[in-house]
Amino acid sequence: MAKTSKKRISKVEKALHKFGADSIEKLAMIADDDLTPQKLRADIWKWFAEMEFGKPTSKQTACGDNTEDLEIVLDGDLEEWSK
């Protein structure tokens, strides 16, 4: 790879990093603004939490007080599709 290409990639990477950092700051400002609709504020904070901690896992239980995992078995075409 030529030096000019590496320099260009480096500039693009730096620009993207700056854009990402600036965007996070702007999102935080929007989320902190009392004039921002509550739903949008909650969505922004949820996104921040998912970026930091990951998305919550989904568990399906047969009834609300059951804490055991529910095993789902797929047969036939669905079994092939799930692989």
Side-chain angles (χ1 to χ4, degrees):
M1 189 181 274
K3 287 184 180 181
T4 55
S5 295
K6 286 183 181 179
K7 285 183 181 178
R8 178 170 166 78
I9 290 172
S10 178
K11 287 181 182 179
V12 170
E13 288 174 346
K14 287 179 183 177
L16 286 172
H17 181 73
K18 182 177 178 348
F19 176 77
D22 292 347
S23 297
I24 291 172
E25 289 178 26
K26 288 177 184 177
L27 281 170
M29 289 174 47
I30 293 168
D32 285 337
D33 188 347
D34 290 337
L35 298 176
T36 302
Q38 192 67 30
K39 166 109 173 68
L40 180 57
R41 293 174 73 187
D43 288 344
I44 292 170
W45 288 118
K46 178 183 171 190
W47 181 82
F48 280 140
E50 287 176 353
M51 292 298 105
E52 180 66 24
F53 305 111
K55 290 190 179 250
T57 58
S58 297
K59 285 190 176 181
Q60 180 68 38
T61 57
C63 59
D65 59 349
N66 185 358
T67 57
E68 294 180 23
D69 291 343
L70 177 65
E71 181 180 357
I72 299 174
V73 179
L74 303 174
D75 292 330
D77 291 340
L78 287 177
E79 181 181 15
E80 287 298 318
W81 170 82
S82 69
K83 292 181 181 178

PDB file of all heavy atoms in Angstrom, residues 25-34 36 40-41 44:
ATOM      1  N   GLU A  25     -21.358  13.137  22.502  1.00  0.00           N
ATOM      2  CA  GLU A  25     -21.555  14.339  23.316  1.00  0.00           C
ATOM      3  C   GLU A  25     -22.867  15.026  22.965  1.00  0.00           C
ATOM      4  O   GLU A  25     -23.608  15.471  23.844  1.00  0.00           O
ATOM      5  CB  GLU A  25     -20.380  15.305  23.134  1.00  0.00           C
ATOM      6  CG  GLU A  25     -19.100  14.820  23.769  1.00  0.00           C
ATOM      7  CD  GLU A  25     -17.933  15.782  23.529  1.00  0.00           C
ATOM      8  OE1 GLU A  25     -18.174  16.985  23.327  1.00  0.00           O
ATOM      9  OE2 GLU A  25     -16.791  15.311  23.549  1.00  0.00           O
ATOM     10  N   LYS A  26     -23.170  15.122  21.674  1.00  0.00           N
ATOM     11  CA  LYS A  26     -24.416  15.752  21.243  1.00  0.00           C
ATOM     12  C   LYS A  26     -25.626  14.957  21.721  1.00  0.00           C
ATOM     13  O   LYS A  26     -26.627  15.537  22.160  1.00  0.00           O
ATOM     14  CB  LYS A  26     -24.436  15.896  19.724  1.00  0.00           C
ATOM     15  CG  LYS A  26     -23.480  16.957  19.210  1.00  0.00           C
ATOM     16  CD  LYS A  26     -23.483  17.020  17.697  1.00  0.00           C
ATOM     17  CE  LYS A  26     -22.450  18.014  17.195  1.00  0.00           C
ATOM     18  NZ  LYS A  26     -22.375  18.045  15.728  1.00  0.00           N
ATOM     19  N   LEU A  27     -25.550  13.634  21.641  1.00  0.00           N
ATOM     20  CA  LEU A  27     -26.653  12.801  22.128  1.00  0.00           C
ATOM     21  C   LEU A  27     -26.871  12.993  23.629  1.00  0.00           C
ATOM     22  O   LEU A  27     -28.009  13.063  24.097  1.00  0.00           O
ATOM     23  CB  LEU A  27     -26.397  11.329  21.822  1.00  0.00           C
ATOM     24  CG  LEU A  27     -26.675  10.881  20.402  1.00  0.00           C
ATOM     25  CD1 LEU A  27     -26.158   9.462  20.176  1.00  0.00           C
ATOM     26  CD2 LEU A  27     -28.158  10.953  20.092  1.00  0.00           C
ATOM     27  N   ALA A  28     -25.787  13.083  24.373  1.00  0.00           N
ATOM     28  CA  ALA A  28     -25.903  13.297  25.815  1.00  0.00           C
ATOM     29  C   ALA A  28     -26.556  14.645  26.106  1.00  0.00           C
ATOM     30  O   ALA A  28     -27.400  14.760  27.005  1.00  0.00           O
ATOM     31  CB  ALA A  28     -24.534  13.210  26.482  1.00  0.00           C
ATOM     32  N   MET A  29     -26.205  15.677  25.335  1.00  0.00           N
ATOM     33  CA  MET A  29     -26.811  16.990  25.517  1.00  0.00           C
ATOM     34  C   MET A  29     -28.309  16.938  25.210  1.00  0.00           C
ATOM     35  O   MET A  29     -29.119  17.521  25.933  1.00  0.00           O
ATOM     36  CB  MET A  29     -26.115  18.027  24.628  1.00  0.00           C
ATOM     37  CG  MET A  29     -24.722  18.380  25.089  1.00  0.00           C
ATOM     38  SD  MET A  29     -23.813  19.464  23.960  1.00  0.00           S
ATOM     39  CE  MET A  29     -24.985  20.731  23.582  1.00  0.00           C
ATOM     40  N   ILE A  30     -28.682  16.229  24.140  1.00  0.00           N
ATOM     41  CA  ILE A  30     -30.093  16.095  23.780  1.00  0.00           C
ATOM     42  C   ILE A  30     -30.845  15.346  24.879  1.00  0.00           C
ATOM     43  O   ILE A  30     -31.943  15.721  25.271  1.00  0.00           O
ATOM     44  CB  ILE A  30     -30.244  15.380  22.422  1.00  0.00           C
ATOM     45  CG1 ILE A  30     -29.698  16.269  21.297  1.00  0.00           C
ATOM     46  CG2 ILE A  30     -31.683  14.995  22.156  1.00  0.00           C
ATOM     47  CD1 ILE A  30     -29.539  15.545  19.961  1.00  0.00           C
ATOM     48  N   ALA A  31     -30.242  14.270  25.391  1.00  0.00           N
ATOM     49  CA  ALA A  31     -30.890  13.460  26.431  1.00  0.00           C
ATOM     50  C   ALA A  31     -31.046  14.236  27.735  1.00  0.00           C
ATOM     51  O   ALA A  31     -31.989  13.993  28.484  1.00  0.00           O
ATOM     52  CB  ALA A  31     -30.098  12.180  26.665  1.00  0.00           C
ATOM     53  N   ASP A  32     -30.139  15.167  28.008  1.00  0.00           N
ATOM     54  CA  ASP A  32     -30.203  15.951  29.245  1.00  0.00           C
ATOM     55  C   ASP A  32     -31.141  17.154  29.142  1.00  0.00           C
ATOM     56  O   ASP A  32     -31.488  17.752  30.151  1.00  0.00           O
ATOM     57  CB  ASP A  32     -28.812  16.449  29.635  1.00  0.00           C
ATOM     58  CG  ASP A  32     -27.948  15.344  30.221  1.00  0.00           C
ATOM     59  OD1 ASP A  32     -28.506  14.358  30.723  1.00  0.00           O
ATOM     60  OD2 ASP A  32     -26.715  15.479  30.174  1.00  0.00           O
ATOM     61  N   ASP A  33     -31.540  17.513  27.932  1.00  0.00           N
ATOM     62  CA  ASP A  33     -32.385  18.692  27.713  1.00  0.00           C
ATOM     63  C   ASP A  33     -33.833  18.394  28.116  1.00  0.00           C
ATOM     64  O   ASP A  33     -34.442  17.449  27.625  1.00  0.00           O
ATOM     65  CB  ASP A  33     -32.315  19.087  26.241  1.00  0.00           C
ATOM     66  CG  ASP A  33     -32.995  20.413  25.959  1.00  0.00           C
ATOM     67  OD1 ASP A  33     -33.732  20.921  26.822  1.00  0.00           O
ATOM     68  OD2 ASP A  33     -32.774  20.951  24.854  1.00  0.00           O
ATOM     69  N   ASP A  34     -34.372  19.208  29.001  1.00  0.00           N
ATOM     70  CA  ASP A  34     -35.753  19.018  29.458  1.00  0.00           C
ATOM     71  C   ASP A  34     -36.769  19.229  28.342  1.00  0.00           C
ATOM     72  O   ASP A  34     -37.912  18.767  28.449  1.00  0.00           O
ATOM     73  CB  ASP A  34     -36.075  19.970  30.615  1.00  0.00           C
ATOM     74  CG  ASP A  34     -35.335  19.590  31.888  1.00  0.00           C
ATOM     75  OD1 ASP A  34     -34.950  18.409  32.017  1.00  0.00           O
ATOM     76  OD2 ASP A  34     -35.142  20.471  32.744  1.00  0.00           O
ATOM     77  N   THR A  36     -36.475  18.023  25.337  1.00  0.00           N
ATOM     78  CA  THR A  36     -36.500  16.823  24.501  1.00  0.00           C
ATOM     79  C   THR A  36     -37.640  15.921  24.953  1.00  0.00           C
ATOM     80  O   THR A  36     -37.812  15.706  26.158  1.00  0.00           O
ATOM     81  CB  THR A  36     -35.160  16.065  24.612  1.00  0.00           C
ATOM     82  OG1 THR A  36     -34.103  16.933  24.215  1.00  0.00           O
ATOM     83  CG2 THR A  36     -35.141  14.827  23.736  1.00  0.00           C
ATOM     84  N   LEU A  40     -37.829  10.122  23.453  1.00  0.00           N
ATOM     85  CA  LEU A  40     -36.530  10.250  22.812  1.00  0.00           C
ATOM     86  C   LEU A  40     -35.411  10.213  23.842  1.00  0.00           C
ATOM     87  O   LEU A  40     -34.382   9.571  23.638  1.00  0.00           O
ATOM     88  CB  LEU A  40     -36.462  11.538  21.987  1.00  0.00           C
ATOM     89  CG  LEU A  40     -35.151  11.807  21.257  1.00  0.00           C
ATOM     90  CD1 LEU A  40     -34.792  10.651  20.322  1.00  0.00           C
ATOM     91  CD2 LEU A  40     -35.231  13.111  20.485  1.00  0.00           C
ATOM     92  N   ARG A  41     -35.622  10.884  24.976  1.00  0.00           N
ATOM     93  CA  ARG A  41     -34.616  10.866  26.046  1.00  0.00           C
ATOM     94  C   ARG A  41     -34.380   9.439  26.525  1.00  0.00           C
ATOM     95  O   ARG A  41     -33.242   9.001  26.698  1.00  0.00           O
ATOM     96  CB  ARG A  41     -35.067  11.749  27.207  1.00  0.00           C
ATOM     97  CG  ARG A  41     -35.114  13.219  26.837  1.00  0.00           C
ATOM     98  CD  ARG A  41     -35.694  14.049  27.935  1.00  0.00           C
ATOM     99  NE  ARG A  41     -34.726  14.141  29.026  1.00  0.00           N
ATOM    100  CZ  ARG A  41     -34.978  14.686  30.195  1.00  0.00           C
ATOM    101  NH1 ARG A  41     -36.173  15.176  30.462  1.00  0.00           N
ATOM    102  NH2 ARG A  41     -34.050  14.748  31.113  1.00  0.00           N
ATOM    103  N   ILE A  44     -32.415   7.391  23.956  1.00  0.00           N
ATOM    104  CA  ILE A  44     -30.982   7.729  23.944  1.00  0.00           C
ATOM    105  C   ILE A  44     -30.277   7.066  25.114  1.00  0.00           C
ATOM    106  O   ILE A  44     -29.223   6.446  24.956  1.00  0.00           O
ATOM    107  CB  ILE A  44     -30.778   9.257  23.957  1.00  0.00           C
ATOM    108  CG1 ILE A  44     -31.262   9.867  22.639  1.00  0.00           C
ATOM    109  CG2 ILE A  44     -29.305   9.604  24.203  1.00  0.00           C
ATOM    110  CD1 ILE A  44     -31.320  11.388  22.637  1.00  0.00           C
TER     111      ILE A  44
END
